[in-house]
Amino acid sequence: MTISHDFFSQLTQAAPRLFELLSAFSQVRVLVIGDLALDEFMTGEVERVSREAPVMILRHESTRQVPGCGANSVCNFASLGASVQAAGFIGNDDQGRAIQRLFAEQIVNTDGIFVDGDRPTVTKTRISGHARQSVTQQMVRVDRKSDALPSLALQQKLVNYIQQQIHQVDCVVCSDYGDGTMTAPVIEVALAHHRVIVDAQKDLHRFAGATVFTPNVPEAEKAVGYAIADEASLHRAGNELLSQTKADMVLITRGGDGMTFFSKTGNNQSIPAFNRTDVFDVTGAGDTVTAALTLALGAGASIWEAAVLGNLAASIVVREFGTATTTVTAMRQALSALLMDQS
C-alpha cells in the first residue's frame, strides 16, 4: 500500500535505528502474566446432512492446537527471541498439558504456571468445514471455561512468584481476557514494576498506573462509554483514557486504519496500516502488537519507534489464518520490503 510522503520520510530516516532495535529484542527479559488458553482448530469435509438433526456431518481431517489469549502473548515474545517467563493457571487436563508442551517447544520458562484442579484450562475450539473443492469456513466455536475465580491459595502462589521474579525482568505484561487470572492482588504486585504493559479487554481502570495500554477500538469505546466514529472522538477518547489509566501512553489499534498513540507528554501521532490488502485473519494480532512494542520499549525505543515496530509485526501475522506469531527475521524482511516498495 501507499503511505504518505511525510510518514515515509520519517520511516526512512528512522530505519537504521529500527533495525538496531530489532537486533536487541533477544536481550529483553519479559514476565507475561495472563489468562492462558488453548486454541483448537478442527477441520473436516462435509459428507452429508445428518438424519438425526438438520446439521452437517463432517469427516474429521485435522486438529491443530496453538496457544491462545495470554498464552499466545507468551509465544509471540518467544518467537521474537525474548527471554520470557509465563505466569498464570492451567487446568489438570489434556489442554493444560498441551499448553505446557507448546511452551516447552519454544523454551518458555513455566515455573510461574500453577495447576488449578477445580477449573478447566480455557479452551476455544473452532470447528471448520468445507465441501469438495471449496473454501474452508468456520462453522461453530465451542468454549470450555469456568466463571469461578482461582482459590485464594492459588492466587497467593501466583502473587509470591511475581514478587520473586519482578525485579529480574525488564518488562511486565498483563494479558487480561477476563478469565480470572488478573485478580486485585495479582494486579497490585504486577504494578510494582517500572515498565508494565497492559493488554486488557475491559475494566482498564483496574490497572491504573501502568506504563502502556494497548486497547483496540471496541475496547477503548467500552472504556470511555461512547463510539469512536471520527478523528475528534478518537482524540477525545485517547486523552480520556490517558487520564483514566494514569498511563505514560495509550495505543489504540484501529485495524485497517492503523493505530494512534497518545502520550502524557502530548506527543500524539497516528501510524498508517502497513498492510491493508493481504489480510486473512486478525486473530491474535493484538498480542503481536503488544509483544513487539514491549520488546522495543525494553530495548530503549521511543514511543513512536515502539509503535511502528508493533504495527510492522501485526502487518505480518494478519496474512496467516488462525493465531500466528512472527520473528525478527520476518520483521526485518517486511521493513526492508516496505522501504523498497515506497521508494
Side-chain angles (χ1 to χ4, degrees):
M1 65 165 293
T2 302
I3 57 180
S4 71
H5 175 74
D6 288 345
F7 183 84
F8 179 66
S9 297
Q10 192 176 8
L11 185 66
T12 302
Q13 185 175 0
R17 170 65 174 163
L18 295 175
F19 283 117
E20 179 183 314
L21 288 166
L22 287 171
S23 297
F25 276 14
S26 61
Q27 301 170 24
V28 183
R29 302 162 299 171
V30 183
L31 171 62
V32 179
I33 311 161
D35 295 309
L36 307 178
L38 184 70
D39 281 344
E40 290 186 329
F41 298 88
M42 186 179 297
T43 305
E45 182 178 334
V46 177
E47 285 196 326
R48 57 186 171 86
V49 176
S50 173
R51 296 176 181 176
E52 302 169 355
V55 296
M56 297 293 182
I57 294 178
L58 300 183
R59 180 182 290 272
H60 178 263
E61 293 177 333
S62 64
T63 297
R64 184 168 64 99
Q65 294 180 318
V66 298
C69 297
N72 180 52
S73 180
V74 170
C75 286
N76 269 277
F77 282 102
S79 183
L80 288 169
S83 173
V84 58
Q85 299 170 233
F89 304 107
I90 56 173
N92 185 17
D93 47 31
D94 290 340
Q95 290 78 15
R97 287 182 280 275
I99 289 177
Q100 291 275 33
R101 173 179 53 79
L102 291 165
F103 281 171
E105 291 172 359
Q106 297 221 34
I107 318 178
V108 171
N109 184 317
T110 58
D111 292 345
I113 298 178
F114 301 96
V115 176
D116 187 341
D118 296 325
R119 302 188 309 152
T121 301
V122 175
T123 306
K124 300 176 182 180
T125 303
R126 297 164 176 85
I127 301 175
S128 301
H130 66 92
R132 291 183 180 179
Q133 299 178 333
S134 72
V135 176
T136 300
Q137 298 183 30
Q138 186 177 150
M139 302 170 66
V140 66
R141 193 180 97 179
V142 180
D143 286 3
R144 182 173 182 264
K145 60 187 292 187
S146 170
D147 291 330
L149 291 176
S151 68
L152 292 178
L154 276 175
Q155 290 183 44
Q156 190 58 49
K157 282 187 177 181
L158 182 57
V159 166
N160 292 343
Y161 176 79
I162 296 168
Q163 286 177 328
Q164 293 166 6
Q165 300 298 320
I166 199 166
H167 299 298
Q168 311 301 318
V169 297
D170 301 303
C171 307
V172 171
V173 175
C174 297
S175 183
D176 183 17
Y177 283 79
D179 292 322
T181 301
M182 304 308 300
T183 58
V186 171
I187 293 172
E188 181 180 1
V189 70
L191 291 175
H193 198 276
H194 68 280
R195 187 183 289 119
V196 181
I197 291 79
V198 175
D199 184 8
Q201 292 193 339
K202 61 181 181 179
D203 298 331
L204 305 186
H205 62 274
R206 293 177 302 137
F207 299 88
T211 313
V212 180
F213 288 76
T214 61
N216 58 30
V217 169
E219 291 163 354
E221 290 176 334
K222 185 181 294 184
V224 297
Y226 53 82
I228 297 175
D230 50 30
E231 287 294 318
S233 56
L234 171 67
H235 283 266
R236 176 188 169 196
N239 288 313
E240 284 188 18
L241 284 172
L242 273 177
S243 177
Q244 181 185 125
T245 62
K246 299 179 175 59
D248 291 345
M249 168 185 165
V250 171
L251 177 76
I252 300 179
T253 56
R254 304 167 58 203
D257 293 322
M259 54 182 63
T260 302
F261 67 80
F262 300 86
S263 167
K264 69 178 183 181
T265 63
N267 179 23
N268 307 334
Q269 293 189 48
S270 290
I271 297 171
F274 294 156
N275 170 24
R276 297 179 63 180
T277 54
D278 300 327
V279 178
F280 297 105
D281 196 339
V282 299
T283 304
D287 295 325
T288 304
V289 171
T290 300
L293 177 139
T294 299
L295 293 180
L297 291 175
S302 68
I303 290 175
W304 183 88
E305 291 165 342
V308 167
L309 290 175
N311 196 30
L312 181 70
S315 75
I316 299 169
V317 298
V318 296
R319 291 180 168 92
E320 301 181 38
F321 287 104
T323 311
T325 60
T326 189
T327 65
V328 166
T329 298
M331 289 184 67
R332 284 181 169 278
Q333 293 170 346
L335 180 55
S336 296
L338 182 64
L339 293 168
M340 186 174 297
D341 288 345
Q342 302 297 318
S343 60

